[in-house]
Amino acid sequence: MAAPFTVQPSAKLIGSVDGHRDWDSGLFGCFSDCKSLIMTYCCLPCAICNISSRTGECMCMPWFVPGGLIALRARIRTLGGVR
């Protein structure tokens, strides 16, 4: 018989949340990172998998978990401290 768990796993957070900030990129702020812009334009699924893995999630989570894209968006906003 297996022993019961006495310690729960802690939440995995990539960075600290330093307060809150408002969204501050301008209308053409997407042009500041041309590599990501071109990757997103040419292959949206590849870009979403890349973003998911950079936040510490499984690459397939946004596609195979119901509501995965919304959860990924919430995680990015939480890590960035965006309201």
Side-chain angles (χ1 to χ4, degrees):
M1 181 173 196
F5 288 102
T6 57
V7 178
Q8 294 294 322
S10 63
K12 185 170 110 175
L13 200 70
I14 301 299
S16 64
V17 178
D18 298 326
H20 295 287
R21 64 182 179 88
D22 292 325
W23 193 261
D24 63 355
S25 63
L27 182 60
F28 298 104
C30 61
F31 291 107
S32 65
D33 185 8
C34 288
K35 179 184 172 188
S36 295
L37 175 69
I38 292 169
M39 183 173 162
T40 304
Y41 180 76
C42 294
C43 185
L44 180 62
C46 296
I48 291 175
C49 287
N50 183 18
I51 292 168
S52 180
S53 64
R54 286 183 5 214
T55 58
E57 298 292 335
C58 175
M59 286 179 20
C60 299
M61 186 271 298
W63 304 113
F64 297 112
V65 173
L69 284 173
I70 296 170
L72 181 62
R73 179 183 181 269
R75 180 168 175 87
I76 291 169
R77 290 178 65 90
T78 300
L79 290 175
V82 178
R83 287 189 245 179

